[in-house]
Amino acid sequence: MLHHTLLQVMLCVTHVLHHTLFQVGKHKWKALRELKKARKEAGCYQEKRKTLGEDTTSADLLALGRAKAQQIRENINNQNKEVEEEKQKSEDNKREKVEERKKWRKKLSKRTARGQPITKHQVDYLLHKIRQSTNG
């Protein structure tokens, strides 16, 4: 079906440009260039390929279209995989940061019997923050 619609479009474009070729007169070469450009866009000038029965035939537009569509699908799948990997990495980083904050919050909330914060954990947390800021 796609092959037939491309041929119909190509024939319409060729028909219109053919009439302008005879009406223009001295600008014939310009019309010829436009005709060739329209045929290229419609897919008339495709690569030659080998077939089993004959030596060479013009390329099958439908097969070329399917091959292009397959390449596009593969590109989209690759991009989706990359996006998913980046998303997974960011989620893992967030999860690690949350676990670290929970660990420090648990240590910092500990108190002595008299209700004072344990200074060892406070000093360790300050040293940890300084190390992080110097490492980047």
Side-chain angles (χ1 to χ4, degrees):
M1 186 69 180
L2 179 67
H3 182 65
H4 293 294
T5 56
L6 282 175
L7 287 177
Q8 289 172 351
V9 169
M10 183 184 66
L11 288 174
C12 291
V13 169
T14 305
H15 183 69
V16 170
L17 287 175
H18 184 69
H19 283 292
T20 59
L21 185 73
F22 291 111
Q23 292 173 357
V24 174
K26 64 180 181 178
H27 300 291
K28 186 186 288 187
W29 297 109
K30 183 178 180 182
L32 281 173
R33 280 194 305 272
E34 290 175 4
L35 175 65
K36 190 170 183 179
K37 184 178 179 182
R39 283 183 176 170
K40 271 187 180 179
E41 289 174 0
C44 285
Y45 302 112
Q46 298 290 334
E47 297 177 7
K48 299 285 184 181
R49 65 176 170 84
K50 299 275 184 183
T51 59
L52 296 175
E54 304 160 21
D55 291 341
T56 56
T57 59
S58 61
D60 185 14
L61 295 178
L62 187 60
L64 290 173
R66 286 180 179 161
K68 277 188 178 181
Q70 182 65 27
Q71 286 178 347
I72 291 170
R73 273 190 227 112
E74 289 174 1
N75 289 341
I76 290 173
N77 288 341
N78 290 339
Q79 290 173 354
N80 287 343
K81 287 179 183 177
E82 290 173 1
V83 168
E84 286 295 324
E85 289 173 1
E86 290 175 11
K87 200 176 197 181
Q88 186 66 29
K89 286 180 184 178
S90 67
E91 287 178 6
D92 290 342
N93 289 340
K94 285 180 184 178
R95 199 172 299 117
E96 287 175 9
K97 288 180 182 180
V98 167
E99 290 297 322
E100 189 174 341
R101 276 190 241 124
K102 283 182 182 179
K103 180 184 82 168
W104 282 110
R105 184 177 52 204
K106 190 173 183 180
K107 283 185 178 181
L108 292 176
S109 64
K110 288 190 176 181
R111 304 288 171 168
T112 62
R114 295 189 178 208
Q116 299 297 316
I118 300 176
T119 53
K120 174 185 172 186
H121 297 308
Q122 301 289 332
V123 172
D124 286 343
Y125 182 66
L126 292 174
L127 287 173
H128 173 73
K129 282 175 65 175
I130 292 170
R131 287 184 193 131
Q132 273 188 337
S133 66
T134 56
N135 290 339

